[in-house]
Amino acid sequence: MEKIQNYIDGALVNPISNQYLDNYEPSTAEVYSHIPDSDKKDVDAAVKAAKQAFPAWSKTTKDKRSAILYRISELIEENLEELAAAESKDNGKPVSLATKVDIPRAAHNFRFFATAILHFASESHQMEEGAINYTLKQAIGVAGCISPWNLPLYLFSWKIAPALAAGNCVVAKPSEITPMSAFLLSKLCIEAGLPKGVLNIVHGLGHKVGAAITEHDEIPVISFTGGTATGAQIAKTAAPMFKKLSLELGGKNPTLIFDDCNYDKMLRTVVHSSFANQGQICLCGSRLLIHSSIYERFKSDFVREVKKLKVGNPKNADTNQGALVSKAHMEKVLSHIEIAKEEGGKVLCGGYQVDLAHEGLNGWFIEPTVIEGLNMDCRTNQEEIFGPVVTMMPFDTDEEAITYSNSTKYGLAASVWTENISRANQVAEQLHMGIVWTNCWLLRDLRTPFGGVKQSGVGREGGFEALRFFTEPKNVCIKY
Ligand code: NAD
C-alpha cells in the first residue's frame, strides 16, 4: 500500500515517529494509502529547514523565484491527468471536476503569483519638508499554511504560491483527509528545482501538526482556510503571540433570485452553485431566496433539474455528484437533514444516502437534497452544512431578501440574479459579504480580494492582497 511521505528540507521523508494514519477512498470506503501521523518533532525539523533556506530564498531575485514557480505550474499542467485522478480518488469528487477545475486552478495559482510578484511595487511619499519616504515590502520569514479537504490542491496552492513568490519559506499542512495531491506536488517541486527547505509539507492531524505550526514561535505568519471553530482556536493561540493571521472560514451563502432575472441562465447556474463538488465548496449557495411571484415555477424546474444530477462513480465522465469526503462528514450532513425535518422542513427531493454497492462502491454518497418550508432562524438556515443540501424560501421585497441574506453569523459570498442593473448594485452594496456575484457564480479573477466578513474570516487573499499579507511593510524616511 502506498505510503505518503513528508517533504522536509528538499527530501521525501518518513515521520520521525514512524507512525501512520489510514487514508480512505471516499467512493469505496476502503483504506488505499497511509499518511504520516507527524507531530511537533517533524514540524520542528521543517521549521529548521525553512529557517536555513530563508536568507538565500528571500535574496533570490524575483525573476528566479518567478521562473521556479512558473515551472511548477507547467509541471502541474503536464501531470494534469495523474493529479486529477489522484484528487478524485482521495476526495470523492468527480474526476471531470478535478480535471476542469481543481488542477487547472492549482496550476493557475502558481502561474498567477509567479507573474504577480514581478509587478509588485512599493510606494514612495514625497514631503514638502524636503524628504522622501519609501516602503520596503520584505519577506517575513517562515510562513505557516494550513488548508482544508474540499479543494485540496487548489486551496493549498492558493496559499503556498504567494507566500513563496514574496520570498518566504513555508511549512505547510494539507488536510489529513485529502493528503495525496500535496504529496504529488512535493515531487513536482523537487523536479522544478525548488531549493531545499523553501517549501516543507508536513502531513498529519490538525491537533498535532496544525497546532504545532500555530504554536511555533518561529512561524510569525499563519494563513489558514477551514472551519470557523478551528479558525477561532488558531486565533486564540496566535493572537497573544502577535502573529500575522489570515483566516478563511465557513459560510452560509444566500442565492437571491429576483423575478426579473434571466431565468434559464439562472436555473442552469443555480443547480451548479448549489451542488458543485457535492455542495462542499465554501462558496456554494445553500440558501435559495426566491421572489414569491416565481417561487412555484422555480421550485418545479429546480427540483426537476436536481433530480437529473447523476450520483455515481467519480471516475465516470457522466457523473455529476461523487462521494462525500468521509463517513463522519456524510453522517453530519445526514443528521442535518433529520434536523431540517424536525424543524418542519419538507424534503422536495433527495434526503438519503445513495447505495451504490451493486457497482462495488460502498462509499459515502448522498442524494442532492432540496428542502422548503423552513424559517430563516432555524438551525438548518443558520448552520453551515457543507454538503449537497439547500433550502428554498420565498421573499416579497428587496429589503426582505437582503435581511434574510444578512441574517446569519457568516458573511462569505452571495450570488444575485436580476437583469435590473440598479437593483443589482443596490443589493450588492447592502449585502454584508466579502464577495458578491451578480448573474454568475465562482467566476474568479485572481487579482480580486477574496475572503469573508463576520465569522467567515479575517483578511483577504488574492492578487496583491496576498502579497501584502506575506510581506512586512517598512517605511524608510530620507531627509535631503
Ligand atoms: P477544519 O477546520 O476541520 O480543518 C482545516 C485544516 O485545519 C485541516 O488541515 C486540519 O487538519 C487543520 N486543523 C484542525 N484542527 C486544527 C488545530 N487545532 N490547529 C491547527 N490546524 C488544525 O476544516 P475542514 O473540515 O477541513 O474544511 C471545511 C471547512 O472549511 C468548512 O467550514 C468550509 O466552509 C471551510 N472553507 C472555507 C473556505 C474559504 O475560503 N473561506 C474555503 C474552503 C473551505
Side-chain angles (χ1 to χ4, degrees), residues 66 77 81 102 117 126 152 186 227 252 296 365 373 421 428 438 449:
S66 170
E77 275 166 353
E81 247 175 67
D102 291 73
I117 193 63
Q126 197 171 10
S186 50
K252 188 74 184 173
E296 290 302 325
F365 299 88
I421 187 76
T438 302

Side-chain angles (χ1 to χ4, degrees), residues 147-149 173 176 206 210 224-227 230 248-250 282 384 450:
S147 61
W149 49 256
K173 188 195 110 54
E176 63 275 26
F224 169 80
T225 298
T230 316
E248 299 293 340
L249 309 175
C282 55
E384 184 184 48
F450 179 91

Side-chain angles (χ1 to χ4, degrees), residues 235-276:
K236 209 167 157 184
T237 306
M241 298 177 81
F242 306 106
K243 296 191 182 212
K244 218 173 168 185
L245 202 54
S246 165
L247 300 172
E248 299 293 340
L249 309 175
K252 188 74 184 173
N253 309 310
T255 302
L256 294 82
I257 302 171
F258 292 92
D259 57 359
D260 56 7
C261 65
N262 177 331
Y263 189 85
D264 293 340
K265 186 173 154 206
M266 175 277 297
L267 185 63
R268 254 194 331 273
T269 313
V270 172
V271 171
H272 184 57
S273 65
S274 302
F275 295 110

Side-chain angles (χ1 to χ4, degrees), residues 146-151 155 158 173-177 204-214 224-231 233-234 247-251 280-283 329 332 384 386 410 412 450-452 456-457 461:
I146 303 174
S147 61
W149 49 256
N150 63 325
L151 304 166
L155 292 177
W158 183 233
K173 188 195 110 54
S175 171
E176 63 275 26
I177 302 171
L205 298 169
H207 70 268
K208 287 166 87 172
V209 177
I213 290 173
T214 312
F224 169 80
T225 298
T228 294
T230 316
Q233 219 174 330
I234 289 175
L247 300 172
E248 299 293 340
L249 309 175
Q280 303 167 136
I281 300 182
C282 55
L283 306 160
H329 189 58
K332 181 194 139 185
E384 184 184 48
F386 212 56
Y410 297 107
L412 186 55
F450 179 91
S456 288
E461 297 186 317

Side-chain angles (χ1 to χ4, degrees), residues 285-320:
S286 53
R287 294 181 294 148
L288 307 184
L289 309 175
I290 305 117
H291 191 266
S292 50
S293 66
I294 56 167
Y295 185 86
E296 290 302 325
R297 178 185 175 203
F298 175 80
K299 175 167 131 182
S300 86
D301 291 341
F302 183 66
V303 169
R304 184 193 66 233
E305 293 305 312
V306 171
K307 281 183 177 165
K308 286 186 197 161
L309 292 174
K310 185 164 182 231
V311 181
N313 191 337
K315 289 186 182 132
N316 295 345
D318 64 344
T319 291
N320 304 113

